[in-house]
Amino acid sequence: MTWTITPEHPASPTAAALWRDYYTEVSDRYYLLHENRRTDPAELEREVAKVTGSDLTPPTGQLLVASYAGEPAGTAGIRLRPDGSAELTRVYVREELRGKGGAPLLVAAAESAARALGATRLVLETRKDLTEALTLYARLGYKEIAPYSDDIYADHTLGKPL
């Protein structure tokens, strides 16, 4: 089985379905850890609709969709920042396909896309409970940097020169 990674508009049905999967998982993990409940369905719908991903389109961003054996499997997005860096976001691989090499390929493709858009550094924020993400980023050479936002859910801010 092979992975393919292609640019995709965030509003496409495939990208929208993967965004919903991603948001559901990270939101449920947060609420299960902190409040012993899953995400309220109304909140899920409101938040998924609120974050359109319109900033993940050229010329200032890019959304990438990974497929495994021809089926949509994950995403990674980048958005340019005013300081010459790009932010890595929406890195996600469907649970049943994790461990098959897709996440490193998505991050590498996002790094290439960021370079092509002129970024000299890739930065990201993540949470401490997303241990798989922290392990992946460390393995790929990302290091702790000073926070660049006041996001209350960002426990770690990481960066890597491109």
Side-chain angles (χ1 to χ4, degrees):
M1 300 288 173
T2 59
W3 288 94
T4 58
I5 299 173
T6 56
E8 183 96 22
H9 193 280
S12 77
T14 298
L18 288 164
W19 168 235
R20 175 178 292 284
D21 291 350
Y22 167 88
Y23 192 88
T24 300
E25 180 175 337
V26 297
S27 183
D28 280 355
R29 283 176 71 162
Y30 179 85
Y31 283 123
L32 286 168
L33 179 66
H34 296 284
E35 298 180 14
N36 199 32
R37 67 173 179 90
R38 295 197 179 276
T39 308
D40 175 82
E43 176 190 2
L44 177 68
E45 293 305 316
R46 184 178 63 250
E47 294 303 313
V48 165
K50 183 169 75 174
V51 183
T52 65
S54 62
D55 56 343
L56 304 177
T57 58
T60 59
Q62 184 74 68
L63 181 69
L64 302 168
V65 169
S67 296
Y68 184 75
E71 294 297 318
T75 63
I78 58 158
R79 66 174 68 90
L80 292 178
R81 296 175 34 80
D83 65 0
S85 68
E87 182 177 23
L88 180 62
T89 186
R90 292 194 191 193
V91 177
Y92 171 73
V93 173
R94 286 189 165 150
E95 188 174 7
E96 66 272 15
L97 296 172
R98 293 178 191 157
K100 297 183 182 296
L105 292 174
L106 271 165
V107 173
E111 291 171 353
S112 292
R115 272 189 220 95
L117 291 175
T120 58
R121 182 178 190 190
L122 205 54
V123 298
L124 65 98
E125 297 173 317
T126 191
R127 296 191 329 235
K128 62 186 171 192
D129 63 303
L130 300 176
T131 56
E132 307 92 335
L134 287 166
T135 300
L136 170 71
Y137 298 133
R139 192 173 75 234
L140 297 177
Y142 287 81
K143 308 281 186 211
E144 290 279 345
I145 61 170
Y148 57 84
S149 83
D150 58 359
D151 185 338
I152 63 169
Y153 299 109
D155 298 311
H156 295 276
T157 304
L158 307 173
K160 178 181 176 180
L162 294 176

